[in-house]
């Protein structure tokens, strides 16, 4: 998604939560290694280390420096708790930055995610063209209604757009 939007001229920054202590359950991994159900991997050999602090604290620092116009989350069943935790923290400080959720979990349960107070819009279906249109509208205005695959909240009312055509993957 980031590459698709970037190729159209928009700036994109990716925030990876993978190695924050509040996301990685190091104790569970170590127990799995001892039990033989996990294989230990030394990521430090390629320059990757567990990060200090929490993912929600770190993203607030990134937002303060980067000043994004939109914050998006790819949500999967096993990552929804991370997206929710971070989104809540972001909305407490940055109420005016729209937050969009997308991904398979959101497509499977769109009503569940658009109802969350810290989610401003969702992508229901493929996200490339929809996210690009959201970014274009941020650049040239802010009306997000009518974008295929995008559901948006306005004054506590959900405006649902239909599913659009699939992207030609060739």
């Amino acid at each position: 998604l980031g590459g698709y939007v970037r190729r159209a001229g928009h700036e994109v920054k990716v925030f990876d939560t993978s190695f924050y202590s509040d996301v990685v359950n190091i104790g569970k991994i170590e127990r799995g290694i001892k039990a033989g159900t996990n294989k230990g991997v030394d990521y430090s050999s390629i320059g990757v280390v567990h990060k200090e602090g929490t993912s929600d604290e770190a993203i607030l620092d990134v937002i303060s420096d980067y000043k994004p116009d939109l914050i998006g989350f790819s949500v999967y069943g096993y990552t929804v708790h991370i997206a929710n935790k971070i989104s809540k923290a972001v909305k407490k400080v940055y109420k005016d930055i729209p937050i969009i959720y997308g991904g398979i979990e959101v497509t499977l349960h769109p009503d569940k995610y658009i109802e969350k107070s810290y989610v401003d819009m969702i992508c229901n279906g493929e996200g490339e063209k929809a996210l690009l249109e959201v970014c274009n509208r941020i650049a040239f205005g802010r009306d997000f209604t009518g974008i295929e695959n995008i559901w948006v909240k306005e004054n506590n009312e959900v405006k649902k757009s239909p599913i659009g055509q699939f992207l030609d993957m060739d």
Side-chain angles (χ1 to χ4, degrees):
L1 292 172
Y4 190 84
V5 170
R6 190 178 287 122
R7 279 190 298 277
H10 296 283
E11 191 175 336
V12 175
K13 185 171 190 87
V14 174
F15 180 80
D16 184 0
T17 63
S18 299
F19 296 98
Y20 284 91
S21 60
D22 62 324
V23 175
V24 177
N25 186 334
I26 295 170
K28 183 177 179 184
I29 292 170
E30 288 172 349
R31 285 190 301 277
I33 292 168
K34 286 179 185 172
T37 59
N38 288 45
K39 180 177 173 84
V41 178
D42 180 10
Y43 290 108
S44 66
S45 66
I46 57 170
V48 177
V49 296
H50 286 104
K51 298 181 179 180
E52 297 296 321
T54 63
S55 57
D56 51 333
E57 293 167 343
I59 199 167
L60 291 175
D61 289 340
V62 170
I63 293 168
S64 175
D65 293 339
Y66 186 66
K67 302 191 182 357
D69 296 316
L70 177 70
I71 299 171
F73 292 87
S74 281
V75 180
Y76 301 88
Y78 58 90
T79 64
V80 67
H81 67 286
I82 300 164
N84 291 342
K85 177 181 183 278
I86 293 172
S87 295
K88 287 176 191 175
V90 168
K91 273 299 180 188
K92 284 181 184 174
V93 179
Y94 298 99
K95 294 173 179 49
D96 294 333
I97 300 176
I99 291 180
I100 184 169
Y101 272 27
I104 188 65
E105 178 71 16
V106 176
T107 297
L108 291 172
H109 309 286
D111 290 302
K112 174 180 172 182
Y113 291 98
I114 194 65
E115 291 176 359
K116 295 186 180 301
S117 62
Y118 43 86
V119 174
D120 300 298
M121 64 184 99
I122 63 159
C123 181
N124 183 17
E126 286 190 341
E128 287 83 358
K129 291 190 286 187
L131 182 59
L132 177 57
E133 184 59 26
V134 167
C135 291
N136 288 339
R137 292 204 187 175
I138 287 172
F140 302 108
R142 293 223 27 150
D143 181 11
F144 303 118
T145 58
I147 301 172
E148 291 180 340
N149 296 14
I150 298 295
W151 294 11
V152 62
K153 281 190 285 201
E154 283 186 355
N155 302 318
N156 293 325
E157 180 185 344
V158 176
K159 302 204 176 181
K160 300 177 181 181
S161 293
I163 300 291
Q165 294 292 316
F166 292 114
L167 185 68
D168 180 0
M169 296 307 286
D170 289 336

